[in-house]
């Protein structure tokens, strides 16, 4: 009764329509987003049918070493389900999925669960199956900092002080359509502080912005000078930050404190539910970056876990 088929490009419209109507999908699963880095990954996404009807999707890639990942190019990305998904059927899907993957020569699965703040309905049917069918083990747990917008906690004294400093210095928030100046600042900042570079190039970011109005660059400025900012991924009920940065001058003037004070007010007034500052785990281990999470928690954000599971087939 369950039919698992590998995604092919001619199925893009069917895939995207299902994502748009799902209970736990965001625009990151749209093929126009996923396929921008198709050259970096060998896609092995799956379309799962039940009685001939598309029932679920699994964005995934083959690492060429016997492991299916869901998906290395995405922050999160487990089973995408329609609103009518039932726990028993999802359990059966994972039984069929494991059989399919063995037949394809896979030996292991690494699975990123979709955090609940991105789900419009309860969507943890897959967690039951991971435990009871796959006997999966928790591989890693990253901690994101999230503000509940209709029940906001007060800013810390330090963050309040930064907001007042920004107000005193005449800062303002502006949405930028051209990312080029900000991206140059971001690249310099990451190179100087972390010996790193953005995951996305400027050209990639502009391509994605052209495809999705959901991607916005919110900058904090003084006069005509950009002092800092953040890329916002608008996922409907949840807003997700990317590439937060402030210049040295911006840090002295409270640029980020001012920016997030204004953005949180705005999104709360719009009736949004969650503001996700992203994870604060160290790159080289799973421990917390204490200074980074201290800053985020100063805005009233608290922990939501991004979990990754693993099992042997």
């Amino acid at each position: 009764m369950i039919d698992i088929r590998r995604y092919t490009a001619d199925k893009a419209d069917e895939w995207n329509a299902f994502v748009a109507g799902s209970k736990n999908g965001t625009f990151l699963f749209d093929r126009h987003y996923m396929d921008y880095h198709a050259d970096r990954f060998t896609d092995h996404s799956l379309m799962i049918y039940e009685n001939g009807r598309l029932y679920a999707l699994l964005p995934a890639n083959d690492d060429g070493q016997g492991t299916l990942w869901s998906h290395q190019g995405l922050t999160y990305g487990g089973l995408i389900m329609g609103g009518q998904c039932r726990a028993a059927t999802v359990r059966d899907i994972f039984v069929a999925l494991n059989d399919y993957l063995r037949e394809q020569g896979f030996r292991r699965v690494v699975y990123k669960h979709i955090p609940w703040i991105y789900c419009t309905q309860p969507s943890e049917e897959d967690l039951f199956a991971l435990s009871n069918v796959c006997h999966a083990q928790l591989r890693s747990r990253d901690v994101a900092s999230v503000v509940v917008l209709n029940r906001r906690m007060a800013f810390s004294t330090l963050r309040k002080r930064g907001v007042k400093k920004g107000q005193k210095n005449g800062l303002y928030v502006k949405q930028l359509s051209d990312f080029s100046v900000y991206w140059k600042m971001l690249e310099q900042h990451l190179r100087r502080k972390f010996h790193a570079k953005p995951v996305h190039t400027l050209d990639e970011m502009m391509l994605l912005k052209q495809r999705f109005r959901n991607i916005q660059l919110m900058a904090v400025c003084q006069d005509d000078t950009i002092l800092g900012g953040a890329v916002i991924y608008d996922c409907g009920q949840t807003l997700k930050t990317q590439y937060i940065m402030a210049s040295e001058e911006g840090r002295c003037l409270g640029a980020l404190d001012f920016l997030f004070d204004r953005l949180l007010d705005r999104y709360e007034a719009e009736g949004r539910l969650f503001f996700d500052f992203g994870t604060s785990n160290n790159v080289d281990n799973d421990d917390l970056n204490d200074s980074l999470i201290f800053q985020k928690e100063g805005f009233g954000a608290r922990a939501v876990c991004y979990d990754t599971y693993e099992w042997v087939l």
Side-chain angles (χ1 to χ4, degrees):
M1 306 295 283
I2 295 171
D3 181 21
I4 298 178
R5 307 175 195 171
R6 185 172 178 177
Y7 168 81
T8 53
D10 61 303
K11 295 290 187 179
D13 289 344
E14 184 181 10
W15 175 288
N16 291 341
F18 187 90
V19 170
S22 69
K23 65 176 181 175
N24 63 340
T26 69
F27 77 93
L28 275 71
F29 302 127
D30 188 289
R31 298 309 307 198
H32 291 99
Y33 187 95
M34 287 185 61
D35 293 343
Y36 88 89
H37 52 24
D39 59 316
R40 301 181 197 172
F41 303 98
T42 301
D43 190 86
H44 201 113
S45 297
L46 301 173
M47 304 179 74
I48 301 161
Y49 296 82
E50 194 255 350
N51 291 329
R53 177 173 61 97
L54 186 58
Y55 197 85
L57 305 171
L58 183 63
N61 70 281
D62 178 353
D63 70 357
Q65 300 178 24
T67 299
L68 184 86
W69 293 73
S70 73
H71 176 299
Q72 285 179 285
L74 299 172
T75 308
Y76 48 82
L79 193 71
I80 304 170
M81 296 176 277
Q84 300 304 313
C85 268
R86 305 294 182 96
T89 306
V90 172
R91 174 201 61 199
D92 295 343
I93 283 173
F94 275 84
V95 172
L97 172 65
N98 287 342
D99 289 341
Y100 167 88
L101 293 175
R102 291 187 192 101
E103 291 172 1
Q104 295 295 313
F106 290 101
R107 301 186 302 274
R108 188 172 64 119
V109 180
V110 179
Y111 182 96
K112 299 177 183 179
H113 179 65
I114 301 171
W116 61 269
I117 56 173
Y118 293 96
C119 306
T120 57
Q121 293 288 334
S123 303
E124 296 187 350
E125 291 86 355
D126 59 339
L127 291 183
F128 175 84
L130 292 184
S131 175
N132 289 271
V133 175
C134 305
H135 307 292
Q137 300 295 314
L138 183 66
R139 175 188 172 98
S140 65
R141 171 165 283 165
D142 293 342
V143 178
S145 300
V146 177
V147 174
V148 180
L149 289 168
N150 62 357
R151 299 186 64 182
R152 285 168 60 185
M153 299 174 65
F155 280 19
S156 68
T157 300
L158 188 60
R159 301 280 73 84
K160 288 179 180 177
R161 193 178 301 151
V163 175
K164 289 181 180 178
K165 194 179 295 184
Q167 293 170 335
K168 180 179 178 181
N169 286 282
L171 305 192
Y172 62 93
V173 174
K174 179 180 181 181
Q175 183 173 340
L176 301 181
S177 57
D178 183 356
F179 287 25
S180 56
V181 174
Y182 185 81
W183 223 250
K184 183 176 181 180
M185 294 174 62
L186 176 68
E187 289 171 339
Q188 292 172 345
H189 169 76
L190 291 177
R191 184 168 56 249
R192 181 177 64 251
K193 192 167 184 180
F194 303 106
H195 305 289
K197 59 183 179 180
V199 174
H200 299 87
T201 67
L202 174 61
D203 288 342
E204 288 172 341
M205 207 70 228
M206 293 305 297
L207 173 65
L208 291 172
K209 177 187 174 297
Q210 183 180 13
R211 292 179 177 179
F212 297 98
R213 294 181 181 178
N214 313 62
I215 298 174
Q216 303 159 2
L217 173 56
M218 306 303 297
V220 57
C221 308
Q222 184 186 53
D223 299 324
D224 293 324
T225 302
I226 298 172
L227 300 175
V231 175
I232 305 294
Y233 275 27
D234 184 345
C235 298
Q237 67 182 22
T238 301
L239 293 305
K240 169 77 163 61
T241 61
Q242 306 269 101
Y243 299 123
I244 301 170
M245 185 277 303
S247 66
E248 291 291 341
E249 183 182 7
R251 283 191 285 277
C252 292
L253 297 179
L256 293 181
D257 297 326
F258 182 86
L259 171 68
F260 291 123
D261 177 68
R262 293 300 187 265
L263 291 183
L264 293 174
D265 283 349
R266 168 182 167 178
Y267 296 133
E268 180 185 6
E270 291 177 358
R272 309 301 188 95
L273 299 183
F274 306 108
F275 190 88
D276 182 359
F277 280 99
T279 59
S280 300
N281 295 71
N282 293 323
V283 175
D284 55 349
N285 60 50
D286 285 336
D287 199 7
L288 289 175
N289 182 322
D290 286 6
S291 61
L292 182 57
I293 200 165
F294 174 81
Q295 180 189 35
K296 295 173 181 179
E297 290 178 341
F299 296 113
R302 292 298 184 266
V304 169
C305 289
Y306 280 47
D307 287 350
T308 301
Y309 296 87
E310 180 178 0
W311 69 93
V312 176
L313 293 165

